[in-house]
Amino acid sequence: MRIILIGLLIRCIVSIYNGLNGPIPGAEADAILFHEIVVSILNGEGHFRSDTFGLSTFLQIHAFIAKIFVPSIIVGGLFSAFIWLLSALIILQITKDLKFSDEDRFFCLIIYCFFPSSILITSVMLREVFQLLFVNLAFFFLIKSFISSKLKSVLLFVLSIITLVIAAQFHKGLVIFAPLSVILSIIYLAILGVDKLKIPNKKILITSMLIFISFCLVITIKFKLESINFQYDEFISKMIERLVSQNNNHNIGRATYMHHKEMDNILDIIFFIPEMFINYFIQPIPSYIDTFGDYIAFFENILRIAFIAFCIFFSFNKDVPNRKIFILLFLNFLLLELVWSIGTVNYGTAIRHHIPGLGLILICFFNLRIGKFYEKK
């Protein structure tokens, strides 16, 4: 708890500094814009702007806080620090529920509290801290559903879904992630349910079920789409148009890693997604590093990639504690990052988009209890 309070104190100091000297470079444009919109909402002038880019909920919350206290960048930053505190308390409780050792809990909280980009981004008036809070809360409920009685388990799973819906109010990327996460979780839980049955050749049965379900979905969708005169070529064309627009209609800056991209067919989309996903995790590469902030981003990427590599490697080990929970959390983390990566074209934005999944990857990594594996050897 002391670590979390130190993390909160640092964020409060950064918030006050930002209010006196202007928000940190890279986040200042959005933070100042959001503050201006909040002020205009309080003056009865900003409601028409508050729906832009799915910002309505975020801006209305900050307008409410500003009405109670005072419209100020400092107040907005301190409120963000308070929301981060709630997210950290959720991570602390998850480490207790999953029975982390004191050492693993300590290092998990150290990174969560003092990750450089997290300190900077959760100390200003940005949406990422709300996304972080509700993503943490959604998977807290999901973890609880695993370790609770059957009746409580259903209720907690529903609460997890509701929390994801709330999270989706803070960015359109989470609108895409939320239903995909629910589908992934249901399929995973269904497979676990089959796995508990005493049936020989379960892998063959599960594979057959997935093939059958996929076949049924394809047939159902085919007839349904035909009934509404769905045109496949038109659908692909609109998807390509959307992706090209998303990734080409942006200002080219020093941190931009994805420049003008042409796509003509479904194969272009298939190759485009892995390219975006990889760049999202590795940028800035050494040849792009120019500032101290770039070095921090590079260091954070190395650490994040190391966490992912360890999680992939140990996921095949049956001795991993809470293995069923771990695999579901890790799959959801990868899904979340995949969704963010598709619409991210520069590593400045990528740094911000990594924030909502920070708690997930730390819980996954420190759940591995890597030290104990080496002790056994």
Side-chain angles (χ1 to χ4, degrees):
M1 186 64 187
R2 189 177 300 173
I3 297 170
I4 294 175
L5 292 177
I6 294 172
L8 175 63
L9 177 62
I10 291 173
R11 283 164 174 79
C12 290
I13 293 171
V14 173
S15 298
I16 294 170
Y17 176 85
N18 287 336
L20 297 175
N21 297 280
I24 56 170
E28 74 278 10
D30 281 350
I32 292 172
L33 173 63
F34 295 161
H35 172 67
E36 290 174 350
I37 297 176
V38 164
V39 172
S40 64
I41 290 173
L42 293 177
N43 293 333
E45 304 167 355
H47 294 283
F48 72 98
R49 296 178 67 186
S50 64
D51 292 325
T52 308
F53 307 114
L55 289 168
S56 178
T57 304
F58 168 77
L59 293 172
Q60 292 297 339
I61 290 172
H62 271 281
F64 175 75
I65 296 300
K67 190 173 183 179
I68 294 175
F69 297 98
V70 61
S72 166
I73 290 179
I74 293 178
V75 171
L78 291 175
F79 183 59
S80 292
F82 171 73
I83 297 298
W84 173 86
L85 171 64
L86 299 180
S87 78
L89 292 175
I90 292 170
I91 292 297
L92 175 61
Q93 187 58 48
I94 290 174
T95 64
K96 293 179 179 179
D97 290 339
L98 296 181
K99 295 180 170 55
F100 281 24
S101 67
D102 291 340
E103 184 181 14
D104 287 324
R105 182 180 299 118
F106 173 79
F107 284 110
C108 179
L109 291 175
I110 282 287
I111 297 176
Y112 189 84
C113 294
F114 305 120
F115 211 58
S117 61
S118 174
I119 291 175
L120 297 177
I121 291 169
T122 59
S123 303
V124 292
M125 192 175 162
L126 294 173
R127 289 176 290 175
E128 281 72 19
V129 69
F130 284 93
Q131 297 162 18
L132 176 66
L133 170 65
F134 287 107
V135 167
N136 286 358
L137 186 59
F139 289 100
F140 166 73
F141 286 135
L142 186 62
I143 291 168
K144 281 286 191 182
S145 73
F146 267 84
I147 58 180
S148 302
S149 61
K150 287 186 178 180
L151 184 60
K152 279 187 177 179
S153 178
V154 174
L155 176 61
L156 289 164
F157 185 71
V158 172
L159 283 174
S160 176
I161 295 173
I162 292 171
T163 309
L164 280 176
V165 172
I166 296 172
Q169 306 306 307
F170 294 95
H171 200 285
K172 56 188 176 183
L174 293 175
V175 174
I176 299 171
F177 169 72
L180 292 177
S181 174
V182 172
I183 292 169
L184 171 64
S185 299
I186 290 173
I187 292 174
Y188 183 79
L189 292 172
I191 292 173
L192 287 184
V194 171
D195 194 48
K196 290 180 181 178
L197 300 176
K198 296 180 180 179
I199 301 173
N201 299 321
K202 291 174 189 173
K203 291 182 180 179
I204 296 175
L205 176 62
I206 292 170
T207 304
S208 301
M209 283 177 57
L210 290 175
I211 292 173
F212 176 72
I213 292 170
S214 301
F215 175 77
C216 290
L217 283 173
V218 169
I219 296 299
T220 302
I221 292 171
K222 182 178 184 298
F223 283 107
K224 181 66 177 176
L225 294 179
E226 284 181 353
S227 68
I228 58 174
N229 296 320
F230 176 81
Q231 297 295 323
Y232 173 79
D233 290 340
E234 183 181 347
F235 172 74
I236 295 298
S237 176
K238 287 184 177 179
M239 182 185 292
I240 291 173
E241 181 182 347
R242 176 65 179 170
L243 287 172
V244 169
S245 173
Q246 176 76 23
N247 291 280
N248 290 349
N249 295 337
H250 59 82
N251 296 323
I252 304 296
R254 187 182 62 81
T256 302
Y257 57 73
M258 184 57 65
H259 299 280
H260 189 76
K261 189 76 175 178
E262 294 291 341
M263 285 182 277
D264 299 313
N265 52 53
I266 189 67
L267 282 177
D268 290 334
I269 297 175
I270 292 172
F271 288 112
F272 167 77
I273 292 175
E275 180 184 358
M276 293 295 287
F277 189 65
I278 293 170
N279 274 297
Y280 176 72
F281 279 104
I282 68 171
Q283 298 290 350
I285 57 177
S287 59
Y288 280 13
I289 293 176
D290 188 45
T291 66
F292 179 69
D294 292 345
Y295 281 104
I296 293 177
F298 181 69
F299 165 75
E300 289 186 352
N301 284 344
I302 291 175
L303 201 58
R304 190 179 294 107
I305 291 169
F307 289 159
I308 293 169
F310 273 106
C311 287
I312 293 172
F313 177 78
F314 280 95
S315 64
F316 296 100
N317 193 313
K318 293 184 179 180
D319 293 329
V320 170
N322 311 299
R323 186 168 181 263
K324 293 175 181 178
I325 301 175
F326 158 75
I327 291 175
L328 181 56
L329 292 181
F330 185 55
L331 289 175
N332 271 284
F333 166 76
L334 293 177
L335 176 62
L336 176 62
E337 294 289 59
L338 176 64
V339 171
W340 287 129
S341 70
I342 294 173
T344 306
V345 296
N346 69 77
Y347 57 82
T349 304
I351 290 170
R352 289 171 57 175
H353 285 172
H354 283 306
I355 296 299
L358 179 61
L360 274 179
I361 189 58
L362 290 178
I363 291 298
C364 288
F365 175 73
F366 285 101
N367 178 73
L368 296 175
R369 322 285 210 272
I370 292 173
K372 290 187 177 181
F373 276 101
Y374 287 111
E375 284 176 12
K376 289 179 182 179
K377 292 181 179 179

